[in-house]
Amino acid sequence: MRGHTRWVNGVTHFPDGRRIITCSSDGSLRLWDLKSGTQIGEDWRDENPGVWSMALSPNGEIVASGCDDGKVRLWDVETRKVMGKLTGHTKVVFALCWSADGERVASGSGDGTATIWDVKRRENILTIKTGHTWVRATMRGHTDWVNGVAHLPDGRRIITCSSDGSLRLWDLKSGTQIGEDWRDENLGIFSMALSPNGEIVASGCGYGKLRLWDVETRKVMGKCMGHITIVSALCWSADGERVASGYWDGIARVWD
């Protein structure tokens, strides 16, 4: 399938199994028919900022896209129009993830922050009440871009990864980090994916290394070496038995 004029930064299947949607630095999202390999309808565009991340809601009705203007856009799949915008980040939104109930979206940005949004209210819901006013609270700690974010199944925690070489576990109620950084060799982490059962995190690093982390112990339980370039994308199979990885050199691999 060809059409985007710059990097393809995200791809996701629709629940019907017949379509996928892609996003690109060229500023567009595009819907594709898997049988014919052709684009369905026109490009989805809004103000033309580059689109660096994308996530489909659990019910398949809304696409969240992260852009280089710092905004998270919410797209209605049926109308293919923007139904809302979440503003607050000051740099590129590199990572997006929906909660299992579809009520929240987590975003990770080049400004070094991760934010939890209430989709219905279009608000940052990670807030603290000081007694005088409402103060917006974002989770801070990473010293470089936040490249990945994932909700844990309990709905109370998220994991983020960063170019600073760490993964960090966060409490969503307090917005504070849980425990120490997860580190191994201090290589920048450019992608991350949580296994379907929530027990293993796969992280993609520089120099083509893929690490598997035990969520309970927060330790590396395995490593895979696939190529010499950055692991830019990761995805688990539905049964949790395989991990697919994508690299900056254009090669994709599937690991058992």
Side-chain angles (χ1 to χ4, degrees), residues 83-189:
M83 55 188 291
K85 300 179 186 180
L86 308 176
T87 59
H89 288 301
T90 59
K91 292 186 179 180
V92 180
V93 179
F94 285 116
L96 289 166
C97 179
W98 287 82
S99 61
D101 58 13
E103 294 182 358
R104 293 166 294 168
V105 169
S107 58
S109 169
D111 62 15
T113 67
T115 303
I116 310 299
W117 306 91
D118 183 294
V119 173
K120 186 175 182 180
R121 292 186 294 163
R122 312 283 196 264
E123 291 181 356
N124 171 357
I125 61 170
L126 190 59
T127 59
I128 55 173
K129 195 171 184 178
T130 65
H132 298 288
T133 184
W134 287 90
V135 179
R136 299 296 184 191
T138 55
M139 295 164 289
R140 294 183 179 272
H142 289 300
T143 56
D144 210 328
W145 295 347
V146 176
N147 296 318
V149 60
H151 279 275
L152 289 180
D154 60 20
R156 301 191 303 268
R157 299 171 296 166
I158 63 169
I159 298 175
T160 57
C161 70
S162 170
S163 306
D164 67 12
S166 72
L167 291 93
R168 301 186 182 201
L169 184 64
W170 303 90
D171 180 273
L172 289 183
K173 186 175 182 179
S174 65
T176 57
Q177 184 175 341
I178 301 171
E180 301 297 320
D181 296 358
W182 305 12
R183 289 185 181 272
D184 184 68
E185 297 183 63
N186 278 335
L187 294 175
I189 302 173

Side-chain angles (χ1 to χ4, degrees), residues 66-78:
C67 306
D68 59 17
D69 61 2
K71 295 177 182 177
V72 176
R73 288 168 170 80
L74 301 174
W75 299 80
D76 184 301
V77 171
E78 185 68 26

